[in-house]
Amino acid sequence: MRFYKVSAYVFLSLTLLFISMPVWADAVQVDSLGILNELRSQNELLQQRSRFTTGGLAMILTITAMLVFLVINNRWNHRLSIKNRQLERERNVVVAQNKQLAVERDRAEQALNVKTSFVQSMTHEIRTPLNAISGFSQVLATPGIDIPQEERLELSTRIQENTRQLTTILDDLILISDLESNCSTPPLEDCPATAIVGFAADAFRPLVPATLTFNIDNKVDEDLIVRTNPHMINTILQKLLSNAVKFTSQGGITLCLNSSDDHLCISVVDTGPGIPADKRDFVFERFSKLDSFVPGTGLGLSIARMIAERIHGTLTLDTSYVRGAKFDLIIPIHFDV
């Protein structure tokens, strides 16, 4: 009996199992399809993520490479710009040096031409008085020639004039050489201003031709004391007065003396032809001569200006004066070294 019950239970279980198998199989199949679809979705998502990750990584690498390239390119451009600026500065320096060399070359050529002209001029200027001295001396020393006393005195005067001219040329050469080699301030001393001008006038008055007048226009006090070098002042005035006599054929020469609060002005005025406007700066240059037929080395005014600067003064041409030439020497009244 129990066996039949057991069998019945088994049969019933198998029947139920057989009946439920299609449903379970369908359920399993449904679950499997869902899983597969989910796996496919996940796989596609993973593939999309993989493609996105790969593309993003490639983009990042590209951007990084571009940034690196831009940084390197910017650095090279900066270095190139610096090099270009350096090359430009060097080029400008070379251009400036070339211009300076050209200027120096022109100056050297000009100096060479001036020296050549100077040597030629000096040869002529020295030879002329030497020939005159030699010729007149031979005439006076020739035995057996009866020379009247008046002519003998004239020949002696000519010899003295040419000797003085030759001495002046040599003194100018020595003086300008000394001024160039010695740049120290000369010794200064206190001396009356009128005495300085008076001494220069007394030394020059015998050299003034009879056809010219020589006057002194003194507008300073007799007791005015100037601290300067009187010997150099006298040298300047002798150069200016000699130059005035050389170019003045009629009229006269005036030595003017004026003063201000702290400066003394000594002027040399003549009634000669004056100096052309285009030659006013040229007259103070070395070896400059407005008239090549007039004897002289062309150093007088240049030496006078150099001496004026050495005693802390100035020597200028008054361009407003039109009745001849007027040179103004201005020196400090009191100067402490």
Side-chain angles (χ1 to χ4, degrees):
M1 190 66 171
R2 183 179 299 176
F3 174 75
Y4 290 114
K5 288 181 179 181
V6 172
S7 298
Y9 284 132
V10 171
F11 178 76
L12 182 59
S13 299
L14 290 174
T15 302
L16 292 174
L17 179 62
F18 180 77
I19 292 171
S20 61
M21 279 185 65
V23 177
W24 179 77
D26 292 337
V28 171
Q29 185 177 4
V30 171
D31 292 338
S32 298
L33 291 175
I35 294 171
L36 288 175
N37 291 331
E38 184 177 356
L39 290 175
R40 288 176 180 173
S41 300
Q42 292 179 355
N43 188 25
E44 291 178 357
L45 182 60
L46 290 174
Q47 289 179 356
Q48 291 177 358
R49 289 180 178 178
S50 177
R51 286 194 297 270
F52 176 77
T53 303
T54 303
L57 183 60
M59 184 178 295
I60 292 173
L61 292 176
T62 302
I63 294 174
T64 303
M66 291 179 63
L67 291 175
V68 172
F69 173 77
L70 291 175
V71 170
I72 295 175
N73 184 60
N74 186 34
R75 185 173 299 176
W76 279 106
N77 287 335
H78 180 66
R79 292 180 180 178
L80 184 61
S81 177
I82 293 176
K83 293 294 182 182
N84 288 335
R85 287 196 296 269
Q86 292 177 351
L87 290 174
E88 183 67 20
R89 286 195 296 267
E90 293 176 357
R91 188 185 70 83
N92 293 334
V93 170
V94 171
V95 170
Q97 290 177 347
N98 289 335
K99 291 182 179 179
Q100 185 65 26
L101 289 175
V103 171
E104 295 297 333
R105 181 197 61 198
D106 294 339
R107 288 179 179 175
E109 292 178 353
Q110 183 178 4
L112 181 60
N113 294 332
V114 170
K115 289 182 179 179
T116 303
S117 300
F118 169 70
V119 172
Q120 295 174 352
S121 177
M122 287 299 99
T123 302
H124 174 72
E125 295 296 335
I126 293 175
R127 182 180 297 173
T128 300
L130 282 177
N131 290 337
I133 294 171
S134 177
F136 295 145
S137 299
Q138 288 179 4
V139 172
L140 291 176
T142 301
I145 299 180
D146 187 13
I147 302 176
Q149 185 64 25
E150 183 179 353
E151 187 176 348
R152 186 181 296 273
L153 290 176
E154 183 180 355
L155 292 176
S156 298
T157 303
R158 290 286 191 89
I159 291 174
Q160 293 176 5
E161 290 177 353
N162 284 276
T163 301
R164 184 172 59 252
Q165 182 180 348
L166 182 60
T167 302
T168 302
I169 293 173
L170 297 178
D171 288 342
D172 286 346
L173 295 176
I174 294 173
L175 181 57
I176 198 170
S177 176
D178 181 66
L179 290 172
E180 288 181 341
S181 60
N182 185 11
C183 298
S184 60
T185 301
L188 306 178
E189 59 183 81
D190 294 333
C191 51
T194 55
I196 298 175
V197 176
F199 180 78
D202 292 339
F204 180 73
R205 188 171 279 109
L207 304 178
V208 180
T211 57
L212 299 178
T213 61
F214 180 61
N215 301 312
I216 299 178
D217 183 11
N218 186 6
K219 297 180 180 179
V220 302
D221 296 334
E222 295 292 333
D223 56 351
L224 177 63
I225 302 300
V226 181
R227 184 168 183 78
T228 185
N229 188 297
H231 174 69
M232 288 192 167
I233 295 293
N234 181 65
T235 302
I236 295 173
L237 294 180
Q238 294 300 322
K239 298 296 182 185
L240 295 177
L241 292 171
S242 298
N243 192 70
V245 168
K246 190 183 301 182
F247 292 97
T248 304
S249 58
Q250 60 182 358
I253 300 171
T254 304
L255 188 58
C256 303
L257 187 61
N258 293 284
S259 65
S260 61
D261 293 336
D262 53 356
H263 286 87
L264 178 69
C265 179
I266 306 174
S267 302
V268 175
V269 185
D270 63 56
T271 57
I275 299 175
D278 57 338
K279 301 292 184 181
R280 289 172 179 173
D281 295 331
F282 174 72
V283 294
F284 289 104
E285 295 181 3
R286 297 180 186 179
F287 318 122
S288 61
K289 297 179 64 175
L290 298 181
D291 189 351
S292 59
F293 295 101
V294 177
T297 61
L299 293 174
L301 293 178
S302 177
I303 292 175
R305 172 170 277 189
M306 291 177 66
I307 296 176
E309 293 175 350
R310 187 63 56 85
I311 58 176
H312 307 282
T314 59
L315 178 62
T316 57
L317 173 66
D318 188 354
T319 57
S320 63
Y321 188 76
V322 295
R323 291 176 293 178
K326 180 175 181 287
F327 290 91
D328 296 326
L329 172 64
I330 300 176
I331 58 174
I333 295 178
H334 303 289
F335 180 79
D336 295 328
V337 181

